[in-house]
Amino acid sequence: MATADELRELMRTEGAAVAENTQGFNEGRYRSVAELSDYEELKSEARAIKEDAIERLPELLDELTETVEENGGTVYLADDAADANDYIREVVADRDADRVVKSKSMTSEEIEVNDTLEADGVDVVETDLGEWVLQVADEAPSHIVAPAIHKSRESIAELFNEVFDPDEPLETAEELTRFAREKLGEKIVDAEVGLTGANFVTAESGTMALVTSEGNARKTVAATDTHVAVAGVEKVIPTVGDLHPFVELIGRSGTGQDITSYVSLLTPPVETPVVDFDDDETPLSEFDTDREFHLVLIDNGRMAMREDDQLRETLYCIRCSACANSCANFQSVGGHAFGGETYSGGIATGWEAGIEGLDVAAEFNDLCTGCSRCVNACPVEIDIPWINTVVRDRINREGDEPADWLVDGLTPDAEPDSPSLQKRFFGNFETVAKLGTATAPVSNWLASTGLSRKAMAWALDIDPRRELPSFERETFVDWARNRDSTVEDPQRRAVVYPDLYTNHVQVSRGKAAVKVLEALGVDVVVPAVASSGRAPLSQGMVATARTHAQRVTETLAPHVDDGRDVIVIEPSDHAMFQREYEKLLDEATFTDLAENSYEVFEYVYGLLENGAAVGQLPSGDDEALAYHSHCQQRTLGLEAHTVAVLEQCGYDVVTSDVECCGMAGSFGYKSDYYELSMDVGDRLREQLEANGVQDRRVVASGTSCLEQIDALLERHPSHPIELLAE
Amino acid sequence: MTESDSPFAASLDELGVTVTSTDRAGVPAAIDEAVVEPAVGVSPGEEFAHGDFPLAEAGIDLDPTPAALEAATTGVSVAELGIGDYGSLALTSTGDGSELVSLFVERHVALLHEDDIAPDMDEAVETLEKTLARTRGSTIIATGPSATADMGALVKGAHGPETVHVIVVEGGE
């Protein structure tokens, strides 16, 4: 796991370049997919093709092998990296090759074939310009699509000028590109073997698709007489026709290009003449087109992932990088922190857990906060946060940190002796909050004293720079128990879910929600309900989260059966009901709750749409607001409802568009991540302090967003429901 | 010679690709205008539905030596398909080196029959699926010039051509 020092150093040295590039890709993605009228259908189609292909993988591999051999090539199915490397070095030795030119291939990096070939004295040349920069610099990729994303133009120029000492120092991107093109061009035409990856391989015709922009993959194949393609077994799909949704989605999802310059559909061995580029007598048509082709398909853990109900989805990944670019933490630290041996970004946890093992995944798994912004960005609809949660759970269970006396009493969880002390503390925050309320204001005073903060920093790694939540003496549930509904002839009947924070910390927003709902003719009850399980789930404590989910639905189900709607104020808990409970509960129990629960503004919006009078709510009188929605709320498509209601009430609203505030529940409290959390938060701060925004009152929907904004700004933010109850 | 206002032409325009339209008889003149010498080219293979453009009359070397190819500024070849909503070209690799001619040059001039423009990617991939299943050949879906952003800013002309020019040939055979 990266330490606070390592993260700080990465943010200092690489953060600016990584942030600029990833945010550029991410903005491009939004723009580009918006132009596709059938974007959602294409994603579902792509997903269905991969689901089917992985399901039928053994059969498709047989078909592909037969086809490639029929086409005149060879297929080698390698069990692991060593097996693949042995085969490739033999091909290169048989060809008596001095040089292998490579186009970009993550799978070839996974098996580290360069090292193997170089040990044999072969000159291995990366021809993708970004990969070549890293080869020259002897650095590792920091991004799966744009490997040198962490390097600025200036640092590349400095590198080239130092290593190559050109007559005129290189400076502009054009000069650097031209220089690299010429250098690499000479190497390509003299090479014997061309090594490529493959984005997709089709079983029916043996055609493979290579998605590139520079043209180096085309040259790598066209200029050599021996073509080796390296691909994971999961790249096989049935037909060329199945490529359609991927061709439309891959560039848009990754770097925000509608399509990359070249999508090569090669059915090797390709027919292009094998020429000697110095020959000035023989016309092209007189060269023969004899070319060797070897398709090396690599298992390396993938077939086991296919049998793993939780990791299987990882195999649908098309390595587009959307999950990296849309990730607020990745935007700050890049793949050198948020990555394993080969892969980086959100889905890397699945890849590294399956290929390298849990220990490698554990190195960076905690950097996923579960904010879910990558979920809608993924072109094959992989639930990436869920994979991260499952892997975190497995890491917890492998962990050897003993439970500690300090937290043991606070942690009535279903995971004895497994997750770290810190994870169990945050995972069992419900118990902490209950104690906090019972002992407020003493607990608040204790939490703010230097000594107990030091103890927390020592035992729990809670960063001393964070303010801790302050517990209310009277909970939301207690307050509601002691009052009667003000609604005599209710239009609807509802339960307001007393989430952990509303119940113990932000009680005022619960009261506000009740007041607003009653004003709109809703009869409201606030029963005592367990916390949603968001806290343990975010620590990878899946069994504990499941227990919470069961307790929540046991309490709420009778109310739902009785015709009450469930209103949720905290977006991260609403997202539990709408998304994660599907993984934790049986289908009927999940559906009953999901279909009958609403985020509070979604519900108010619905009431107003169905005839409730907005005049029952106080007017905003054109007051200017800045609204920061919540990451999980945005993933569920529920940002617009808050904005619409506030506008109907007469507010003038501008919204932030950062992917996440950086707090992400307990993440920003942890000492190791405090500075990263603030770095991510800084992007939100910039938007909230921009011209025209800097004087607006700030409202935000999420508890942790409110805490983060409170730390970032002079202005105190509030939950928007409190405005409607003023 | 006319400027086309089709969706295909609009897509090419967005990519910075020059497009001219002409009838069959105007092909040599259009090529003459589009190429920067020295120029080489290849005739289309037998697979092309609208293959027999009057390329020989354009005065370019249609079966160059590798050294002539290396020295050439422009490569002229035929595109099997155009893809309307992307401005893409399907460039099928032939045994006499169309891939080399369209790739190892600074400037690629592609000829395309107007009947071979598919409206969208869906239809284009469907057509390519049929062709590739039958021929077991190779096709590049090429969209605009080659490009890279790896050196700190977007640069056109990485390993492949920096400029692309499309000549759309109208009318019957």
Side-chain angles (χ1 to χ4, degrees):
Chain A
M1 196 179 75
T3 64
D5 287 343
E6 287 161 354
L7 291 175
R8 185 187 310 117
E9 182 62 10
L10 273 177
M11 287 190 280
R12 188 182 69 77
T13 53
E14 303 181 352
V18 167
E20 186 189 336
N21 287 313
T22 48
Q23 287 171 45
F25 293 157
N26 197 40
E27 284 160 22
R29 172 176 62 82
Y30 281 117
R31 238 190 342 265
S32 180
V33 302
E35 290 166 11
L36 283 176
S37 56
D38 52 352
Y39 175 51
E40 294 300 328
E41 289 82 359
L42 285 170
K43 287 200 292 185
S44 301
E45 206 185 314
R47 164 94 187 182
I49 290 166
K50 289 301 271 189
E51 267 181 17
D52 166 66
I54 296 300
E55 172 75 29
R56 296 197 290 126
L57 189 55
E59 174 197 325
L60 288 175
L61 286 170
D62 286 345
E63 185 188 348
L64 174 66
T65 304
E66 208 172 293
T67 314
V68 170
E69 284 170 1
E70 204 176 281
N71 292 346
T74 309
V75 176
Y76 186 74
L77 200 59
D79 291 334
D80 54 26
D83 190 9
N85 285 333
D86 284 346
Y87 181 82
I88 295 165
R89 80 198 298 183
E90 212 166 294
V91 170
V92 172
D94 283 351
R95 172 58 186 85
D96 204 14
D98 296 321
R99 181 181 294 145
V100 173
V101 282
K102 282 182 69 196
S103 69
K104 185 166 161 32
S105 150
M106 292 304 295
T107 314
S108 74
E109 283 173 32
E110 176 187 322
I111 62 172
E112 297 178 333
V113 67
N114 293 20
D115 295 347
T116 303
L117 294 176
E118 281 163 0
D120 289 350
V122 178
D123 182 24
V124 184
V125 180
E126 297 284 353
T127 64
D128 173 86
L129 298 191
E131 291 284 356
W132 188 58
V133 167
L134 298 185
Q135 193 178 27
V136 173
D138 194 22
E139 287 179 23
S142 60
H143 188 273
I144 59 171
V145 170
I149 197 175
H150 59 287
K151 295 193 85 71
S152 64
R153 177 183 60 76
E154 291 81 358
S155 68
I156 298 170
E158 199 178 311
L159 172 75
F160 280 13
N161 290 332
E162 191 186 308
V163 173
F164 300 108
D165 194 21
D167 297 338
E168 288 288 314
L170 302 164
E171 192 187 331
T172 65
E174 285 78 10
E175 287 165 1
L176 292 164
T177 302
R178 199 177 316 123
F179 177 80
R181 171 193 168 125
E182 277 162 23
K183 270 258 183 241
L184 290 170
E186 291 162 15
K187 291 184 186 286
I188 292 171
V189 296
D190 277 344
E192 296 88 7
V193 177
L195 196 151
T196 69
N199 293 83
F200 305 92
V201 189
T202 64
E204 187 187 46
S205 61
T207 306
M208 53 187 246
L210 277 168
V211 180
T212 68
S213 269
E214 295 178 358
N216 60 312
R218 293 174 67 187
K219 282 189 169 173
T220 297
V221 175
T224 54
D225 62 21
T226 303
H227 177 191
V228 180
V230 179
V233 288
E234 84 285 2
K235 298 290 181 66
V236 185
I237 58 172
T239 68
V240 168
D242 291 323
L243 289 169
H244 167 246
F246 301 106
V247 170
E248 299 223 48
L249 290 171
I250 194 165
R252 295 179 196 266
S253 301
T255 52
Q257 294 162 279
D258 296 352
I259 189 169
T260 59
S261 300
Y262 304 121
V263 178
S264 297
L265 307 178
L266 307 180
T267 314
V270 299
E271 256 194 290
T272 297
V274 177
V275 305
D276 168 3
F277 281 84
D278 295 327
D279 188 326
D280 61 358
E281 284 174 6
T282 320
L284 295 181
S285 64
E286 284 179 26
F287 287 90
D288 65 41
T289 61
D290 288 346
R291 203 176 244 101
E292 258 189 60
F293 173 61
H294 301 267
L295 177 59
V296 184
L297 293 171
I298 293 166
D299 176 351
N300 211 23
R302 289 166 172 81
M303 289 314 233
M305 290 166 77
R306 183 173 167 269
E307 301 293 327
D308 184 323
D309 285 342
Q310 308 298 342
L311 289 188
R312 185 182 303 123
E313 267 199 311
T314 307
L315 299 172
Y316 307 159
C317 168
I318 58 170
R319 317 254 175 95
C320 71
S321 79
C323 59
N325 304 329
S326 61
C327 173
N329 280 348
F330 191 95
Q331 290 178 1
S332 280
V333 297
H336 285 159
F338 203 145
E341 294 286 327
T342 312
Y343 301 98
S344 58
I347 194 62
T349 289
W351 283 120
E352 296 287 342
I355 288 167
E356 303 287 343
L358 282 180
D359 53 335
V360 175
E363 292 289 314
F364 62 98
N365 171 263
D366 277 353
L367 287 169
C368 170
T369 66
C371 86
S372 79
R373 294 306 299 143
C374 54
V375 168
N376 296 343
C378 177
V380 279
E381 302 177 335
I382 300 175
D383 193 340
I384 295 160
W386 179 252
I387 291 176
N388 275 283
T389 303
V390 168
V391 170
R392 191 167 302 161
D393 185 271
R394 292 179 185 180
I395 294 165
N396 287 343
R397 284 167 198 286
E398 277 210 335
D400 53 7
E401 289 184 55
D404 194 274
W405 60 271
L406 177 66
V407 190
D408 235 12
L410 295 176
T411 53
D413 58 39
E415 1 246 327
D417 302 327
S418 41
S420 72
L421 203 55
Q422 185 197 54
K423 284 196 161 78
R424 295 184 73 197
F425 174 79
F426 284 118
N428 290 286
F429 202 73
E430 179 177 352
T431 315
V432 177
K434 276 182 185 160
L435 264 173
T437 287
T439 58
V442 176
S443 57
N444 296 327
W445 173 76
L446 263 178
S448 62
T449 61
L451 187 64
S452 63
R453 288 311 301 264
K454 273 185 198 147
M456 282 187 173
W458 171 74
L460 301 171
D461 274 337
I462 292 177
D463 197 278
R465 286 162 287 190
R466 282 286 180 201
E467 288 213 20
L468 294 176
S470 178
F471 298 105
E472 296 285 332
R473 194 80 181 95
E474 184 186 48
T475 65
F476 178 40
V477 170
D478 287 339
W479 169 81
R481 189 180 291 129
N482 299 325
R483 67 187 290 281
D484 294 318
S485 172
T486 61
V487 180
E488 291 197 350
D489 180 23
Q491 302 300 301
R492 294 191 75 96
R493 296 158 62 246
V495 174
V496 171
Y497 172 67
D499 65 82
L500 199 53
Y501 279 85
T502 302
N503 198 32
H504 292 275
V505 181
Q506 307 247 348
V507 176
S508 61
R509 71 182 190 189
K511 295 176 185 171
V514 171
K515 189 173 169 190
V516 169
L517 292 168
E518 288 185 347
L520 297 173
V522 182
D523 177 75
V524 177
V525 293
V526 187
V529 194
S531 65
S532 72
R534 168 62 71 190
L537 194 78
S538 73
Q539 308 305 317
M541 295 155 67
V542 175
T544 307
R546 180 170 287 119
T547 309
H548 281 254
Q550 285 159 350
R551 283 164 61 206
V552 166
T553 45
E554 272 162 25
T555 312
L556 290 179
H559 291 283
V560 170
D561 290 345
D562 186 36
R564 286 192 187 265
D565 306 314
V566 177
I567 318 299
V568 190
I569 301 169
E570 171 56 34
S572 61
D573 289 325
H574 183 60
M576 283 293 281
F577 296 179
Q578 297 297 322
R579 274 178 37 81
E580 281 86 1
Y581 274 19
E582 188 173 10
K583 303 282 205 289
L584 302 173
L585 298 167
D586 67 76
E587 198 186 329
T589 312
F590 161 70
T591 309
D592 272 355
L593 181 60
E595 285 181 354
N596 291 292
S597 59
Y598 305 85
E599 189 270 335
V600 62
F601 269 85
E602 178 191 19
Y603 195 69
V604 170
Y605 177 85
L607 292 171
L608 296 176
E609 285 292 292
N610 285 293
V614 72
Q616 297 301 314
L617 302 175
S619 166
D621 288 329
D622 291 327
E623 187 187 344
L625 299 178
Y627 172 55
H628 172 66
S629 181
H630 178 278
C631 45
Q632 288 155 344
Q633 180 186 4
R634 287 177 67 202
T635 296
L636 294 171
L638 296 174
E639 175 181 11
H641 301 77
T642 304
V643 176
V645 169
L646 290 172
E647 286 179 347
Q648 279 191 59
C649 288
Y651 288 98
D652 169 37
V653 187
V654 298
T655 55
S656 69
D657 64 4
V658 296
E659 296 294 350
C660 180
C661 71
M663 190 65 166
S666 59
F667 183 81
Y669 282 107
K670 299 179 178 176
S671 291
D672 277 333
Y673 303 128
Y674 169 78
E675 284 167 66
L676 169 55
S677 164
M678 293 304 278
D679 190 69
V680 170
D682 208 46
R683 297 195 278 273
L684 176 58
R685 185 192 55 73
E686 272 176 29
Q687 295 196 353
L688 294 174
E689 288 183 348
N691 266 341
V693 186
Q694 81 273 39
D695 296 324
R696 289 170 178 255
R697 182 161 160 190
V698 180
V699 286
S701 298
T703 301
S704 52
C705 319
L706 288 163
E707 285 168 5
Q708 178 79 319
I709 293 167
D710 214 13
L712 293 168
L713 299 182
E714 294 290 320
R715 285 167 286 169
H716 282 294
S718 53
H719 191 284
I721 199 71
E722 299 193 56
L723 267 59
L724 304 195
E726 277 175 1
Chain B
M1 221 176 293
T2 53
E3 292 294 321
S4 170
D5 55 0
S6 66
F8 180 62
S11 301
L12 288 171
D13 188 52
E14 260 184 64
L15 296 164
V17 172
T18 316
V19 54
T20 49
S21 300
T22 176
D23 60 12
R24 243 182 82 82
V27 167
I31 291 176
D32 191 44
E33 192 171 307
V35 302
V36 174
E37 291 187 337
V40 296
V42 284
S43 291
E46 288 160 12
E47 295 299 335
F48 291 85
H50 298 97
D52 60 338
F53 299 117
L55 286 180
E57 295 155 39
I60 44 172
D61 184 354
L62 285 180
D63 196 4
T65 65
L69 168 68
E70 277 261 271
T73 301
T74 309
V76 182
S77 72
V78 170
E80 183 179 354
L81 276 181
I83 303 169
D85 53 2
Y86 282 85
S88 311
L89 302 167
L91 307 173
T92 293
S93 306
T94 60
D96 53 3
S98 62
E99 170 71 345
L100 300 173
V101 160
S102 63
L103 180 63
F104 284 81
V105 290
E106 285 163 42
R107 189 177 174 82
H108 177 221
V109 175
L111 282 111
L112 172 70
H113 198 279
E114 63 171 354
D115 290 351
D116 294 334
I117 299 173
D120 53 38
M121 190 60 76
D122 201 358
E123 194 178 309
V125 173
E126 208 175 296
T127 306
L128 291 173
E129 177 181 24
K130 283 182 202 144
T131 312
L132 293 174
R134 184 168 45 84
T135 63
R136 301 285 169 98
S138 298
T139 294
I140 314 294
I141 300 174
T143 311
S146 85
T148 185
D150 285 346
M151 298 295 170
L154 183 68
V155 177
K156 285 183 181 177
H159 287 279
E162 187 179 337
T163 320
V164 177
H165 187 121
V166 176
I167 298 172
V168 177
V169 183
E170 301 164 331
E173 296 297 301

